[in-house]
Amino acid sequence: MKETVLVVLPHPDDEAFGLSGTLARHVQNGDPVTYACLTLGEMGRNMGFPPFANRVTLPQIRKSELQASCRAIGIQDLRMLGYHDKTIEFEEPGKLDADIDALLRELRPSVVYTFYPGYSVHPDHDACGAAVIRAVGKLPGNGRPRVLCMAFAKNLEQGIGKPDTVHDVRAFLKPKLASVEAHRSQFQAGSMTAKEKEERFGTERFWTYRFE
């Protein structure tokens, strides 16, 4: 069955490491995919290996890397929402919620991917996920998309249990690695063996958010 997919994440490269294999599979299946990236990750510490960016050039570099990552996955609808990196938790909730609500009403997705609030390590991740949950939660119960969340905290099993959706994406390692390697200011996988890449990147895990 065809899905309409909305991805809402705060930083360039969040898509690459967390779900680019899943998204490449959606694209192969003919599912329309929209990726709303809140920031350009302009406050990131990494400047390349060896460094080739600086604080002035990093925003444009990360924008170009994000676009290259989307091309590698096959995403044609990239929305850059223009929020400032490392400040999502301090944004006025009404504005962020309204931006996400507008996407939900425009696209009417059947599935939304984001971070699980409270279990995703980075404050921007948690704040982004919380905004998505608020916006989806305001929709009528029979009109809500499924919300599949990424999570990375150490206390996952005690807090939200085991992931209920696990995707084997080894068949999509080529686009996934191309997506990861597009973010070359942030990561280099060149020294990893093929087996190490498969072990690290071959599985993607999600937790379904249960609305009360």
Side-chain angles (χ1 to χ4, degrees):
M1 186 176 73
K2 294 289 185 183
E3 298 261 34
T4 300
V5 180
L6 173 61
V7 183
V8 185
L9 302 172
H11 309 120
D13 79 22
D14 288 337
E15 82 293 336
F17 293 97
L19 74 161
S20 54
T22 294
L23 296 179
R25 183 164 70 181
H26 277 297
V27 170
Q28 184 185 81
N29 290 342
D31 301 335
V33 177
T34 297
Y35 176 19
C37 190
L38 301 189
T39 83
L40 292 178
E42 66 273 14
M43 296 303 292
R45 294 181 180 179
N46 293 332
M47 299 287 168
F49 309 92
F52 58 83
N54 58 48
R55 187 56 63 199
V56 174
T57 62
L58 188 62
Q60 184 58 46
I61 287 172
R62 297 209 68 186
K63 178 180 178 180
S64 297
E65 290 175 347
L66 173 61
Q67 292 168 328
S69 170
C70 287
R71 288 194 297 271
I73 298 167
I75 297 171
Q76 297 185 10
D77 187 10
L78 170 63
R79 315 281 181 98
M80 290 176 273
L81 299 193
Y83 287 89
H84 196 275
D85 188 22
K86 294 191 177 179
T87 69
I88 301 302
E89 62 183 313
F90 305 113
E91 292 290 343
E92 201 285 305
K95 182 181 186 306
L96 182 54
D97 293 7
D99 283 345
I100 296 171
D101 180 70
L103 289 167
L104 293 170
R105 294 183 184 279
E106 174 196 348
L107 300 166
R108 299 189 181 278
S110 55
V111 59
V112 177
Y113 292 94
T114 191
F115 285 110
Y116 205 112
Y119 294 92
S120 299
V121 179
H122 193 295
D124 278 357
H125 295 173
D126 288 334
C128 174
V132 171
I133 297 304
R134 288 194 303 268
V136 173
K138 292 174 183 175
L139 298 175
N142 60 0
R144 289 176 189 157
R146 291 178 298 124
V147 180
L148 297 183
C149 301
M150 297 180 289
F152 308 103
K154 294 180 180 179
N155 60 334
L156 288 175
E157 289 203 16
Q158 298 91 332
I160 55 176
K162 294 182 179 180
D164 52 11
T165 302
V166 179
H167 291 162
D168 181 341
V169 297
R170 287 175 294 177
F172 297 93
L173 273 183
K174 183 175 180 179
K176 177 161 187 169
L177 290 172
S179 169
V180 169
E181 291 167 357
H183 296 283
R184 66 189 191 93
S185 69
Q186 304 303 300
F187 179 79
Q188 283 189 338
S191 61
M192 298 175 68
T193 67
K195 183 177 180 181
E196 288 171 336
K197 290 176 181 179
E198 185 173 297
E199 289 176 351
R200 177 165 181 179
F201 299 118
T203 304
E204 295 175 351
R205 300 171 176 84
F206 305 94
W207 286 255
T208 302
Y209 191 87
R210 311 292 182 187
F211 291 90
E212 297 180 359

